[in-house]
Amino acid sequence: AKKVLKEAVDKGYEQNDKLVMKEIDSLLKSGLYNTAKTKLAALRLDNNIATYTAKVQGLLDLRTAKENAVNEINHANYVADKDKENLINDVNKAKSIDEVNKVLDHLKDLQPATVVQLYRAYNPNSGEHLYTADKAEYDKLVGLGWHGEGNAWKAASKGAPVYRLYNPNSGEHFYTVSESEYNDVAKAGWKKEGIAFYSDAKRGVEVYRLFNPNAKGAGSHHYTTLASERDTLIKAGWKYENVAFYGLK
């Protein structure tokens, strides 16, 4: 008798849930997510409760993500109105939070680069100039006897990465935007130090690279935004290696 009763109850729950789930699906299709959420309490079977709770909450979370994204896009004063319209359309078409985040990633790409101050320090013993965006590193080197030369140029907060390598034999540092050059120099025994700073994608200020063919250790390369410094070094026998990367105006 108990088994028969249980089967009857389960069947009743199944029939109930079938009707409730149909109603919830209709509400979700109409965009009435909060109303659909209140209907969850009418479900009886655990599997259906779990499935539809996740389904409704997922759509609520997606709607919230879309609303936040649209708000962020509307407040992005660096984006043209037409581009805003296209971004908002992409947000509205998104089928998942991941797709919304991809639109926000695109928005982030449109953000103008901000200034990152680079510092220049000079080692009077080796003749090397070191360039760093790390003020703590700069201060440490000055404390060790390097000459602090202050601001080098304004680097970008984003753009093409400028990689830094260190030669453990000579003590020299080398900088390049070329990933292949970065890898080739590392194969020659230099130690990779990762991304030092970024080159401005808009090519605001040229940073020249020069090579001293007479140098036997550190200090064989020099980087400067000053055409006058570049020309002085060329006259002194340095070889001009063209524009290495770019700083912000």
Side-chain angles (χ1 to χ4, degrees), residues 57-211:
Q57 191 58 51
L59 289 171
L60 284 168
D61 291 343
L62 177 58
R63 184 172 69 181
T64 298
K66 287 184 175 183
E67 290 172 349
N68 291 338
V70 169
N71 184 58
E72 186 172 343
I73 292 168
N74 282 327
H75 284 83
N77 55 15
Y78 51 87
V79 178
D81 289 342
K82 184 61 179 177
D83 291 332
K84 284 184 179 181
E85 182 181 336
N86 291 333
L87 288 169
I88 290 173
N89 285 337
D90 289 340
V91 167
N92 290 331
K93 293 176 185 176
K95 302 298 183 182
S96 68
I97 292 178
D98 283 343
E99 290 184 9
V100 173
N101 288 336
K102 286 181 181 179
V103 178
L104 292 178
D105 286 341
H106 185 198
L107 177 66
K108 186 177 180 181
D109 290 338
L110 296 175
Q111 287 180 333
T114 55
V115 172
V116 174
Q117 186 60 60
L118 280 189
Y119 304 96
R120 187 169 106 172
Y122 173 70
N123 187 330
N125 298 311
S126 67
E128 178 191 12
H129 283 91
L130 181 134
Y131 308 84
T132 179
D134 186 344
K135 184 63 163 55
E137 181 182 35
Y138 174 73
D139 291 339
K140 182 178 179 180
L141 291 174
V142 173
L144 292 173
W146 290 58
H147 292 176
E149 295 187 341
N151 299 336
W153 63 83
K154 296 174 182 177
S157 59
K158 64 179 187 176
V162 178
Y163 304 102
R164 190 172 93 174
L165 301 104
Y166 172 70
N167 188 326
N169 298 311
S170 68
E172 182 179 9
H173 290 85
F174 180 72
Y175 308 80
T176 179
V177 291
S178 170
E179 189 173 3
S180 60
E181 184 177 35
Y182 180 59
N183 292 327
D184 289 341
V185 173
K187 289 176 183 177
W190 292 62
K191 291 186 177 181
K192 291 182 175 181
E193 293 191 335
I195 297 172
F197 47 89
Y198 291 90
S199 176
D200 180 26
K202 293 186 177 181
R203 300 188 172 189
V205 176
E206 295 179 336
V207 180
Y208 311 112
R209 187 170 95 180
L210 299 105
F211 172 69

